[in-house]
Amino acid sequence: MGKTDWTQLWLTYHRVFEGNCTWETVLEGFAASDAVVSNALSEFKRGMDSIGCDSDSMTLKITKSDAVPAEGYSIKGDDNGILLEASDERGLLYGVFAILRQTACGKRAAEVNETASPSNPLRMMNHWDNMDGSIERGYSGESFFFENEEIVINDRTVDYARFMASIGINGVVINNVNVKGAASYLITDRYFDKLKELSEIFEGYGIKLYMSLNFASPIEIGGMDTCDPLDSNVISWWEKKIKEVYENLPGLGGFLVKADSEGRPGPFTYGRTQADGANMLADVIAPYGGIIIWRCFVYNCTQDWRDTKTDRARAGYDYFKDLDGAYHDNVILQIKNGPMDFQIREPVSPLLGGLTKTNQMLEVQAAQEYTGHQIDLCYLIPLFKEVLDFHTHCAPGKDTVADVVSGRTMGNRLGGMAAVINTGNDMNWTGDDLAAANTYGFGRLSFNTDLTAEEIAREWIRQTLNLPAKEEDILCSMLLRSREIYERYTSPLGIGWMVTPNGHYGPSVDGYEYSRWGTYHRADHLGIGVDRTDKGTGYAQQYYPENAKLYNDPHTCPEELLLFFHHIPYTWELKTGKTLIQHIYDSHFLGEEEARGLASDWDSIKDAVPEEIYTRVKERFDLQLDNAREWRDQVNSYFYRKSGIADEKGRTIY
Ligand code: GCU
């Protein structure tokens, strides 16, 4: 591929209909000169010209209608064309993309029909891009936003914005939450011109620009000796700074802040609370309509292994629950889906819905940090769905995480979903072509939390690859199976973490057991798992009573989370009648075998996919098989040697 030949992902617009028709566009109540409207109309033309049409001439009629909710649309086709109704420009844009999606998926214009509006007010992508061009936890090349400490803007930037708009994303944080070096200067005149240009491109696609902020900016760029959020000089410094920022970037959405976490500075340094820090910034930014998204990933990462009461899983709730209600209206707390760190399976964070008076946003990770580095296939939408559907028991009838973050539970205006995105400057954007299903899927799911993982997978396959029915079924099944397969050959039953430290790819059963991060599995010769019950760390008690009770008892605890909540003997009998140790062996043998099944399924659809894509993905499956084998062997061998109990089936364990 040449330097500018990046793929068009799900906006490839394969030909679906033989004919080409002329589309006349009629606008009522919208101005053709508006950037969003004009981008939507050119996208419509671009898409329809390639997808084709089954009639000679058609009309796309776009009408402004206050009956449609904000950012929503209603699209309805007949033999003469399609009527699109929306109440605002973003709704119009999403409506156009919905028409393109439906026709790309095979619907004739007359069959186009949908009424939709977003489930979540905020649907955001968080880039962990550094200004030197590297990406923290990036598995698909370098940043397309930054190079050598400069901001890069080119055609690719526009394509990125198109992709994001097509899945309903309305906010993008461009830089890593760990704000260091040049990134601290993004709020200075060194970068304002470029940022303005970028934010205008984004705005043309209904996307607001956000940035990660260095809480210690008053020290690092202001030359002060403190960043105490209650210090009046610090506050005036921020007032001046934010005024300057908004004079230059009037469209800025606000800031994302990682404070007091993994070495990042924060209010704790000055004996202040997280609310003191978040509210100070929120008050300063409020006059400009900005928001502060404050991450709850705060924990002690220097835990001593002898200390069995300190529990990293507890930390978020312990630090944030007491201050529920103290956060100002333009603060949103951004909470990772699980209490640890994006493992293949964790319980849902008890903070979600545990807070009842604070704006909340769910953070998930599309970047496959712990889930296979975009080498191993791992379609994450089933995991995201499980989190959204989880009943927190915080309020009768509207207690799921989807209810909480959308604002339905508390009637709040701000909330939503954010994903740590999995893109880079690789020509196919996501390294593994199949990983783009996670990028696509996150956007679609955040726009409509009722979609199923399968619906999303099929939409993505049709638009990206337009396969014949049989091949589509095979690929769809591969995606849907992949998460559990990955779980089986890595770390089942909620134990997590048996991964190579730092890099987070491949097995190292004790890698984290003997480090300071507080991510123990506590395996000994008798059993494995962390006691988080009322007799252990007490983490289970952070849930509402219904869930607390369920998790507290190993007999009622959902088995897929058993080792997250309990220290269990190897001889414990699981619901299948197998002992725990036998389950460990079986799961790892099965997972490895199923990974081979994925690879051979991919081979079976070879002729239906473009050769380049076939080859790129195939190379990854070869690596995935090595990885699965390695996991199987290391984990099985480790537990055989620890427990001294042999595999009932007598398979090879080294
Ligand atoms: C994980 C990840 C880090 C990241 C952090 C975060 O710990 O490994 O790279 O900075 O999460 O979410 O802030």
Side-chain angles (χ1 to χ4, degrees), residues 128 136-137 176-178 258 261-262 295 297 299 312 336 341-342 363 369-370 504:
W128 284 0
E136 179 147 340
R137 311 307 178 183
N176 189 0
V177 286
N178 296 314
K258 170 176 179 177
S261 172
E262 302 185 327
R295 295 178 83 232
F297 190 56
Y299 69 98
R312 174 167 166 181
K336 288 191 182 185
D341 194 11
F342 301 133
E363 178 179 314
E369 174 179 359
Y370 296 98
H504 300 164

Side-chain angles (χ1 to χ4, degrees), residues 131-133 146-151 181-182 190-191:
M131 295 205 63
D132 63 1
F146 307 113
E147 204 179 286
N148 298 325
E149 306 199 340
E150 293 301 335
I151 295 172
R190 185 153 136 195
Y191 294 111

Side-chain angles (χ1 to χ4, degrees), residues 320-327 333 353-360 410 544:
F320 288 90
K321 171 64 184 172
D322 284 352
L323 294 165
D324 190 12
Y327 295 88
L333 295 187
L355 300 167
T356 56
K357 302 183 211 81
T358 303
N359 297 321
Q360 291 158 66
M410 296 179 272
Y544 287 91

Side-chain angles (χ1 to χ4, degrees), residues 441-454:
F442 170 78
R444 292 289 288 136
L445 190 62
S446 66
F447 192 91
N448 180 355
T449 50
D450 290 334
L451 288 172
T452 67
E454 175 167 352

Side-chain angles (χ1 to χ4, degrees), residues 236-249:
S236 339
W237 186 87
W238 277 116
E239 282 166 349
K240 263 196 236 120
K241 179 44 76 187
I242 298 296
K243 180 164 183 280
E244 182 196 354
V245 169
Y246 272 90
E247 275 163 7
N248 288 283
L249 300 171

